[in-house]
Amino acid sequence: MGRDPDPRLSVFRPRKDGLEKTLGALEAQIMAIVWDTEQPVCVDDVRHALARGGKEAAYTTVMTTLSRLHGKGLLAREMRGKAYYYSPRVTRHELSSTVTRQVID
């Protein structure tokens, strides 16, 4: 973590809570899962974690969301066999600091 302190975030929703100020609801849930897991995760890992929390999500929905988070600079990914495994590129604190800096700017 800490390798990319400036993720590409283009939205700020002041009326939302927490990560949903800058990320969609599913993106925020997935980031929390990735941060809380101590090892890189694949799509199935995230789907199972979401299901444990009471949210069902299609494989392709989770795959697309992980890819978008990677594109925003929030996740790193590496290919293992036929699947990508994702890990955080920024900590919760770094993301919060980036959001604060972007809002002030």
Side-chain angles (χ1 to χ4, degrees):
M1 285 186 273
R3 295 179 291 276
D4 187 6
D6 275 332
R8 293 172 290 286
L9 304 170
S10 60
V11 176
F12 183 73
R13 299 173 197 92
R15 297 180 202 273
K16 296 286 186 172
D17 292 324
L19 287 177
E20 290 186 32
K21 287 183 184 299
T22 56
L23 301 175
L26 183 59
E27 288 178 327
Q29 290 174 319
I30 289 176
M31 282 305 299
I33 290 166
V34 174
W35 279 321
D36 293 342
T37 305
E38 295 187 16
Q39 60 207 18
V41 295
C42 66
V43 174
D44 280 332
D45 297 332
V46 174
R47 287 186 68 229
H48 292 303
L50 287 168
R52 283 192 300 274
K55 176 158 180 67
E56 296 295 324
Y59 184 94
T60 54
T61 301
V62 173
M63 181 179 64
T64 299
T65 305
L66 285 164
S67 182
R68 285 185 180 156
L69 290 167
H70 173 260
K72 291 178 180 184
L74 298 173
L75 297 178
R77 72 179 175 192
E78 67 174 288
M79 183 67 81
R80 291 186 189 172
K82 294 182 180 182
Y84 279 117
Y85 279 76
Y86 295 85
S87 56
R89 293 188 75 181
V90 295
T91 64
R92 284 180 170 101
H93 177 74
E94 287 169 335
L95 181 56
S96 176
S97 294
T98 297
V99 170
T100 300
R101 206 171 41 252
Q102 288 180 356
V103 169
I104 291 171
D105 289 346

